[in-house]
Amino acid sequence: MGLAVGAVYLASEPLRAAVPQGRLDYLMPHFIVLHLPAGVRGLLVAAILAAAMSSLDSALNSLSASTLRDFVEPRLGPQAPESHRLLASRLVTLGWGVAIVAFGSSSAISPAASSRHQPHRRTLLRPAAGGLRLRHLDRRARGPGVLAGVAAGLALNAGSPGAWGRSCSGCGGT
């Protein structure tokens, strides 16, 4: 597909004019708008949205299931009625959905802010990702131990040189 679009790019003056110099990431959207018929454009947009929704659905399901199993169910206890478990499941899923939208929105505000805060994300997310991996690789790992490991990882990462990126103007002195 990429080779075919590249060949069309080289042969089509309107497509070359539409794509900004040095920004070939604009090639595919402009190709779709300029060279595909309306029905195919609609199907392609629907396919892209379906793929994105599928990925987000999987991520949301995974985050909710892990949170429920590791943190909520131990507090509910084995005798909790099914209605309480269902409500907890819905609230946890809603909470993760709000968190994902907030994180995505804050990253979409400014590409410069997104790249500027990349070291912060690595510092904060690596220990959490390690805790989730540990929980899935070793069934003996339980909530308090995993939380202690994540907290220790955060402390070590936060104290390491360069964890918060270089100092820059306009980013709060971090």
Side-chain angles (χ1 to χ4, degrees):
M1 175 80 178
L3 191 59
V5 172
V8 172
Y9 173 74
L10 292 175
S12 172
E13 182 59 38
L15 185 57
R16 282 197 310 268
V19 176
Q21 183 70 24
R23 296 300 310 260
L24 289 179
D25 53 329
Y26 284 81
L27 178 58
M28 188 60 81
H30 285 292
F31 170 78
I32 291 168
V33 169
L34 293 173
H35 292 284
L36 294 180
V40 175
R41 283 193 301 241
L43 287 174
L44 194 57
V45 168
I48 291 169
L49 289 175
M53 287 172 35
S54 172
S55 296
L56 289 173
D57 176 67
S58 298
L60 195 56
N61 183 40
S62 174
L63 288 167
S64 298
S66 296
T67 303
L68 279 168
R69 182 171 179 171
D70 293 342
F71 302 110
V72 177
E73 285 180 358
R75 284 168 180 62
L76 285 177
Q79 303 302 326
E82 192 64 30
S83 61
H84 286 98
R85 292 178 186 278
L86 180 62
L87 178 63
S89 171
R90 289 180 176 169
L91 290 175
V92 167
T93 303
L94 176 66
W96 275 116
V98 168
I100 288 170
V101 168
F103 185 75
S105 297
S106 71
S107 297
I109 291 171
S110 164
S114 179
S115 64
R116 181 172 59 223
H117 296 298
Q118 190 64 31
H120 305 24
R121 290 186 192 134
R122 284 194 304 265
T123 299
L124 296 172
L125 294 178
R126 281 183 180 162
L132 285 173
R133 282 191 210 112
L134 172 67
R135 178 65 180 100
H136 290 290
L137 291 174
D138 186 357
R139 293 293 177 200
R140 294 173 296 168
R142 295 286 176 217
V146 172
L147 281 177
V150 169
L154 283 171
L156 288 171
N157 275 354
S160 67
W164 301 103
R166 294 183 300 185
S167 180
C168 62
S169 61
C171 61
T174 59

